[in-house]
Amino acid sequence: MADYRELWSKLGIDLEKHDKLCAVLPELYGGTYLTQKNRPEGMNYFNFVVAEVHGLRIKELDEHKKSGGKVVGTFCVFVPDEVIFAAGAIGVGLCAGSQFWVEDGEKVLPRNMCPLIKAFMGAKVGGTCPYFQSCDMVIGETTCDGKKKAWEVLDDYVPVYVMELPQMKREKNYAQWIEEIKEFISKMEELTGNKVTVDTLREGIRIANLKRKALKRLYDLRKYKPSPISGLDVLLISQIAFYDDPKRFVEKLNELCDELDERVKNGVDEGKKRLMITGTPMALPNWKLHSIIEGLNAQVVVEETCTGTRYFENEVDEKGETIDDLIKNIADRYMKINCACFTPNTGRIDDIIKYTDEYNVDGVIDFNLSFCHTYAVEHKAVEESLKEKNIPVMQIETDYSTEDSGQIKTRVEAFLEML
Amino acid sequence: MADYRELWSKLGIDLEKHDKLCAVLPELYGGTYLTQKNRPEGMNYFNFVVAEVHGLRIKELDEHKKSGGKVVGTFCVFVPDEVIFAAGAIGVGLCAGSQFWVEDGEKVLPRNMCPLIKAFMGAKVGGTCPYFQSCDMVIGETTCDGKKKAWEVLDDYVPVYVMELPQMKREKNYAQWIEEIKEFISKMEELTGNKVTVDTLREGIRIANLKRKALKRLYDLRKYKPSPISGLDVLLISQIAFYDDPKRFVEKLNELCDELDERVKNGVDEGKKRLMITGTPMALPNWKLHSIIEGLNAQVVVEETCTGTRYFENEVDEKGETIDDLIKNIADRYMKINCACFTPNTGRIDDIIKYTDEYNVDGVIDFNLSFCHTYAVEHKAVEESLKEKNIPVMQIETDYSTEDSGQIKTRVEAFLEML
């Protein structure tokens, strides 16, 4: 890796602490990813991205900023990338998937909160994430109590702008969301000094859709028996999708999919059990559950999560004459996301049932980050609907620590034997 | 107590389980309340209400229903009583303050949720609350993730109607809340068959305001040194305010205040430390923290909670020619409530600081029901603002179990010594 210390230093990184993080990641990645057998060649690009995780992309952000561009951080699939692209900014979905950041997060947040929130807060408070340090602004949303209130604390460290996501999906809620997107456009125009026009917004939509199409293509390939790619690799790709350069990402992902097309033709089914993960997001580098499952010779073939289908399903309609038309199209697409933050959220159950068929799933693991109330309460409905279809389901609630890994392994093992 | 078993049975109460609840309450009440020395005579009415907690009032609800009236249950100070009154319904703020109900709640909800939500769910699931059993409908709201999602589960047991409370207090949020109140009026009209008119709504406002005035009068009396009434007694009165007949309640409370006016004249200051409780609500019969504090010879003189100032502060303007005028007045008053469900919520900090002066407070206990994220995150801001004013503050996070009572007592004792 090139020496980026000068750049990190300029960004206000706590170099000493950051070194500790940099020391952990390669080992974790090596043990989890590079030990996989028969990986597609196309994964080399993503290996490279991980190797350069705090390097090359940070340099790109720096160059963008040097030429007057802005960088905004996001933490949720509801913040419309289309608008960020249209305003000429770079959006980075901030990673918050490591136990490393939790301790610093707990300095300013309660302990019994979801690890994702504590981790992103800790990354900023401790100054150990160069992405976060590159952000001119963070775009928050009101998807859960934890994040909604954490923005207030985070705002002491970096400017935070919060979009109010409606809590229901009635007709008036669509109108409210349209208004929020309009205000977000104004905010981004103010931040970047660039006017969002019909043309730039349409181009923003096009780029975001290309990403969705490529991810959808990848996921469709997993429907084959056997899936031509591990769940671990797909999870990594999904995680990288949040912060990589979108055009390069799409190109590289499509190259990988070309290779997978070939693999599918020669696939020999080894009878691995096919699992769906549903529930809460897995931010980089949270590979804990996938690693356990695939270490047990089963395969994760679909994630109904924010780092899975909820991120790419449904494209934004690119047709429309006016900016209002396009904004409406954006609002429509985002309101189709079946997040547990809505009440009711029966569409998510429909999605899960649909995916069990489409992906030929043997069993479902309902994954819940500790203290995430919305998904935890929905578990009952998820379980009931899957039981009706005779599909085994197990709930796993965990955080980023490895303390319970042994216990989870035992439980997953027992679950797999039952399938 | 008269024999209400026939009535309870008709309501579908699990009599055997309910007997266990009835067996616990008198002892708890006796030990906590009746051992207090020199209580005002006027507390006799409230003793009587507790003695008849599942009796007389339930009979009143039954008679109301027999004559075609409706009963609606609520769990939050944001559901406007004015509308319920105007529609000729009886509103009961459902109690959810006992560990007794938690076990049944955990059958359908995650364990790591706030005890209030688990308790109300358990009361319904177990069929042990005659108020709940009397409800034709429950009115929920989107004030926190836990409740928002719990309504979906509760709806399997009793019809639930959910009001969407905005998450911010921008101008458009006021308009959204006005719309929600209008829809709530339609819902109540549909349920009761009674049209809400300017006159009935104004009368509803008047009744709700009378309650607020009486509670405000009670709280104002606590500002004297010494307060003429214990925190425990005021807490009980506040809890009873949620479900007692409003006119009788106001009359009896004002009688008590007349007596307290006399007491104030002869008050001799014993130098008891004066505490404010801020934070999450204490539903009947959650007297745990007050009981510990006042057992240590300190006095709770104000609660900045939903079972305290947030319930009665600010009246609804009774002036207005049209129903829209009155609805706007209602919306304005409710949007003044500084609940942690809003972001930002700096008004709450202002309230807390104001009360420390008005009530001559020596120290503040920030009380947090376990797993209530919104108030837990606000603790940092509460603490910082109080420290700036040199007012000692301590956070206590607890649930309804008595397991930690000893530990809390030790901590409160140490805190009091420090004041």
Side-chain angles (χ1 to χ4, degrees):
Chain A
M1 202 199 275
D3 194 349
Y4 297 106
R5 299 183 76 82
E6 202 180 319
L7 175 57
W8 293 337
S9 186
K10 192 180 80 178
L11 290 169
I13 290 281
D14 180 337
L15 289 179
E16 206 177 317
K17 201 179 248 186
H18 184 248
D19 281 347
K20 286 180 198 156
L21 178 62
C22 292
V24 183
L25 194 65
E27 199 186 310
L28 177 64
Y29 188 72
T32 312
Y33 275 91
L34 303 180
T35 51
Q36 292 182 94
K37 282 172 196 150
N38 194 27
R39 285 178 90 202
E41 284 293 311
M43 286 309 297
N44 285 337
Y45 169 69
F46 300 98
N47 286 339
F48 168 75
V49 171
V50 172
E52 283 287 335
V53 66
H54 282 186
L56 199 63
R57 184 70 181 140
I58 299 300
K59 205 158 160 271
E60 288 176 354
L61 299 182
D62 187 53
E63 276 155 19
H64 174 73
K65 285 168 71 109
K66 272 180 188 156
S67 64
K70 299 292 179 185
V71 175
V72 297
T74 61
F75 279 106
C76 180
V77 297
F78 278 102
V79 177
D81 278 338
E82 293 81 353
V83 172
I84 298 171
F85 296 152
I90 293 182
V92 283
L94 295 166
C95 16
S98 170
Q99 180 70 12
F100 180 84
W101 294 305
V102 169
E103 195 184 326
D104 279 337
E106 288 177 349
K107 288 178 184 164
V108 294
L109 287 176
R111 280 171 165 250
N112 55 6
M113 275 183 88
C114 117
L116 193 144
I117 299 174
K118 289 189 293 188
F120 78 62
M121 189 65 81
K124 185 68 206 179
V125 169
T128 48
C129 172
Y131 290 93
F132 227 146
Q133 297 305 112
S134 302
C135 288
D136 297 292
M137 182 174 277
V138 165
I139 313 301
E141 19 55 46
T142 58
T143 46
C144 72
D145 288 346
K147 281 200 280 179
K148 181 173 72 180
K149 300 306 285 184
W151 308 132
E152 297 170 16
V153 180
L154 187 65
D155 196 48
D156 288 344
Y157 300 87
V158 54
V160 181
Y161 175 80
V162 183
M163 296 182 77
E164 183 178 3
L165 185 72
Q167 314 269 299
M168 299 186 185
K169 288 186 176 179
R170 299 164 299 177
E171 207 178 315
K172 63 178 175 181
N173 296 120
Y174 280 75
Q176 289 163 6
W177 186 232
I178 286 173
E179 284 308 308
E180 288 296 315
I181 296 173
K182 284 184 182 167
E183 285 187 29
F184 179 46
I185 289 176
S186 302
K187 191 75 198 173
M188 287 304 298
E189 288 179 334
E190 184 193 313
L191 178 73
T192 60
N194 299 326
K195 185 85 190 145
V196 172
T197 65
V198 180
D199 289 339
T200 57
L201 192 54
R202 200 192 313 277
E203 177 61 10
I205 292 173
R206 203 183 62 83
I207 298 169
N209 279 344
L210 284 175
K211 239 165 100 167
R212 293 183 184 117
K213 278 188 233 289
L215 284 163
K216 173 81 174 142
R217 184 180 168 198
L218 175 67
Y219 269 64
D220 280 343
L221 282 158
R222 304 169 85 187
K223 293 175 181 172
Y224 286 96
K225 237 176 171 173
S227 164
I229 184 165
S230 70
L232 268 168
D233 280 338
V234 175
L235 176 62
L236 178 70
I237 293 166
S238 300
Q239 289 167 338
I240 286 173
F242 282 82
Y243 70 90
D244 197 11
D245 175 77
K247 287 175 193 171
R248 181 176 55 213
F249 173 81
V250 167
E251 189 190 311
K252 294 296 179 182
L253 178 50
N254 276 319
E255 279 174 28
L256 171 70
C257 288
D258 292 342
E259 184 188 347
L260 298 182
D261 280 339
E262 290 306 309
R263 282 202 171 210
V264 160
K265 292 179 194 157
N266 312 311
V268 180
D269 191 7
E270 295 166 14
K272 281 188 183 179
K273 295 297 176 193
R274 299 168 62 86
L275 295 187
M276 180 199 294
I277 310 266
T278 178
T280 50
M282 294 167 172
L284 196 72
N286 180 11
W287 307 309
K288 182 172 161 180
L289 186 56
H290 281 62
S291 171
I292 291 171
I293 292 169
E294 303 206 327
L296 291 167
N297 211 28
Q299 198 165 35
V300 180
V301 293
V302 56
E303 297 84 7
E304 192 279 321
T305 66
C306 301
T307 42
T309 56
R310 271 178 241 137
Y311 183 49
F312 67 79
E313 284 281 21
N314 303 306
E315 293 179 21
V316 174
D317 190 349
E318 292 172 28
K319 287 194 286 287
E321 298 302 310
T322 65
I323 196 150
D324 280 349
D325 291 341
L326 296 180
I327 292 171
K328 189 188 172 299
N329 295 350
I330 294 173
D332 282 345
R333 186 264 159 192
Y334 282 85
M335 287 294 276
K336 280 189 197 134
I337 302 174
N338 293 315
C339 173
C341 68
F342 292 109
T343 187
N345 184 38
T346 51
R348 182 175 162 229
I349 306 294
D350 300 339
D351 287 346
I352 292 173
I353 296 299
K354 189 179 71 180
Y355 295 147
T356 58
D357 280 339
E358 286 183 6
Y359 291 85
N360 253 298
V361 162
D362 297 308
V364 176
I365 297 186
D366 192 0
F367 167 71
N368 207 81
L369 286 171
S370 314
F371 309 115
C372 175
H373 293 336
T374 54
Y375 282 93
V377 176
E378 280 196 3
H379 174 67
K380 188 171 170 280
V382 169
E383 190 177 40
E384 282 167 2
S385 65
L386 285 168
K387 278 192 175 162
E388 239 169 64
K389 289 259 302 175
N390 285 317
I391 298 162
V393 54
M394 169 172 74
Q395 187 184 30
I396 288 183
E397 178 157 329
T398 185
D399 56 18
Y400 294 165
S401 74
T402 50
E403 279 166 33
D404 58 356
S405 295
Q407 195 203 347
I408 292 175
K409 192 180 163 190
T410 308
R411 288 187 59 210
V412 172
E413 213 160 7
F415 183 67
L416 290 171
E417 274 167 24
M418 202 192 73
L419 297 182
Chain B
M1 200 198 277
D3 193 348
Y4 296 106
R5 299 182 76 83
E6 201 180 321
L7 175 56
W8 292 337
S9 186
K10 191 180 80 177
L11 290 169
I13 290 281
D14 179 337
L15 289 179
E16 206 176 318
K17 200 179 249 188
H18 183 249
D19 281 349
K20 287 180 195 155
L21 178 62
C22 292
V24 182
L25 194 67
E27 199 185 310
L28 177 64
Y29 189 72
T32 312
Y33 275 90
L34 304 180
T35 51
Q36 291 182 97
K37 281 172 196 150
N38 194 26
R39 286 178 90 203
E41 284 292 314
M43 285 309 296
N44 285 336
Y45 169 71
F46 300 98
N47 286 338
F48 168 75
V49 171
V50 172
E52 283 286 334
V53 66
H54 281 185
L56 198 62
R57 184 69 181 139
I58 299 300
K59 203 155 164 271
E60 288 176 355
L61 298 183
D62 186 56
E63 277 154 19
H64 174 70
K65 285 168 71 109
K66 271 182 190 155
S67 64
K70 298 292 178 184
V71 175
V72 297
T74 62
F75 279 104
C76 180
V77 298
F78 278 101
V79 177
D81 279 338
E82 293 82 352
V83 173
I84 298 171
F85 296 151
I90 293 182
V92 284
L94 294 166
C95 16
S98 170
Q99 180 69 12
F100 180 83
W101 293 305
V102 168
E103 195 185 325
D104 278 336
E106 287 176 350
K107 288 178 185 164
V108 294
L109 287 175
R111 280 172 164 248
N112 55 5
M113 276 185 88
C114 116
L116 193 143
I117 298 173
K118 290 190 290 188
F120 78 62
M121 190 65 81
K124 185 67 204 178
V125 169
T128 48
C129 172
Y131 289 94
F132 227 147
Q133 298 304 112
S134 303
C135 287
D136 298 290
M137 182 174 277
V138 165
I139 313 300
E141 17 57 44
T142 59
T143 46
C144 72
D145 287 346
K147 280 199 280 178
K148 181 173 71 180
K149 300 305 285 184
W151 308 132
E152 297 170 16
V153 179
L154 187 64
D155 195 47
D156 288 344
Y157 300 88
V158 55
V160 180
Y161 175 81
V162 183
M163 296 182 77
E164 183 177 4
L165 186 73
Q167 314 268 298
M168 299 187 184
K169 290 184 175 179
R170 299 163 300 177
E171 207 178 314
K172 63 177 173 182
N173 297 121
Y174 280 76
Q176 289 163 7
W177 185 232
I178 286 173
E179 284 309 308
E180 288 296 316
I181 296 174
K182 284 184 183 167
E183 285 186 29
F184 178 46
I185 289 176
S186 301
K187 192 74 199 175
M188 288 304 298
E189 287 178 337
E190 184 193 311
L191 177 74
T192 61
N194 299 326
K195 186 88 189 142
V196 172
T197 65
V198 181
D199 289 340
T200 57
L201 191 54
R202 198 191 313 276
E203 177 61 11
I205 293 172
R206 203 183 62 84
I207 297 169
N209 278 345
L210 283 175
K211 239 165 100 166
R212 294 184 183 115
K213 278 189 233 286
L215 284 162
K216 174 80 173 142
R217 185 181 169 198
L218 175 67
Y219 269 63
D220 280 343
L221 282 158
R222 304 168 84 186
K223 294 175 180 172
Y224 285 96
K225 236 176 173 174
S227 163
I229 183 164
S230 70
L232 268 169
D233 280 337
V234 175
L235 176 62
L236 178 70
I237 293 165
S238 299
Q239 290 167 337
I240 287 173
F242 282 82
Y243 70 90
D244 196 13
D245 175 78
K247 288 177 190 169
R248 181 176 55 212
F249 173 82
V250 167
E251 188 190 312
K252 294 296 177 181
L253 178 51
N254 276 320
E255 278 174 28
L256 171 70
C257 288
D258 292 342
E259 183 187 347
L260 299 181
D261 279 340
E262 290 306 309
R263 282 201 172 212
V264 160
K265 292 179 192 157
N266 312 311
V268 180
D269 191 6
E270 296 166 14
K272 282 188 183 180
K273 296 298 177 193
R274 298 168 63 86
L275 295 187
M276 180 199 296
I277 310 265
T278 178
T280 49
M282 294 166 170
L284 196 72
N286 181 10
W287 306 310
K288 182 172 160 179
L289 185 56
H290 280 63
S291 169
I292 291 171
I293 293 168
E294 303 204 328
L296 291 167
N297 210 28
Q299 198 165 36
V300 180
V301 293
V302 56
E303 296 86 6
E304 191 277 321
T305 67
C306 301
T307 41
T309 56
R310 271 179 241 135
Y311 183 50
F312 67 78
E313 284 281 19
N314 302 305
E315 293 178 21
V316 174
D317 190 350
E318 293 171 27
K319 287 194 286 287
E321 297 301 311
T322 66
I323 196 149
D324 279 350
D325 291 342
L326 296 180
I327 292 171
K328 189 188 170 301
N329 296 350
I330 293 172
D332 282 346
R333 186 264 159 192
Y334 282 86
M335 287 293 276
K336 281 190 197 131
I337 301 173
N338 293 315
C339 172
C341 67
F342 292 108
T343 185
N345 185 38
T346 50
R348 181 173 162 228
I349 306 293
D350 300 339
D351 286 345
I352 292 173
I353 297 299
K354 188 179 74 181
Y355 295 147
T356 58
D357 280 341
E358 286 182 6
Y359 291 86
N360 255 297
V361 162
D362 297 306
V364 175
I365 296 185
D366 191 0
F367 166 72
N368 207 81
L369 285 172
S370 313
F371 309 114
C372 174
H373 293 336
T374 55
Y375 282 91
V377 176
E378 281 195 3
H379 174 68
K380 188 170 171 281
V382 169
E383 189 176 40
E384 282 168 3
S385 65
L386 285 168
K387 278 190 173 163
E388 240 170 64
K389 289 261 302 178
N390 285 317
I391 297 162
V393 55
M394 170 172 72
Q395 186 183 29
I396 287 182
E397 177 157 329
T398 185
D399 57 17
Y400 294 166
S401 75
T402 49
E403 279 165 33
D404 60 355
S405 296
Q407 194 202 348
I408 294 175
K409 191 180 165 190
T410 308
R411 290 187 59 210
V412 173
E413 212 160 8
F415 183 68
L416 290 172
E417 272 166 24
M418 202 192 73
L419 298 182

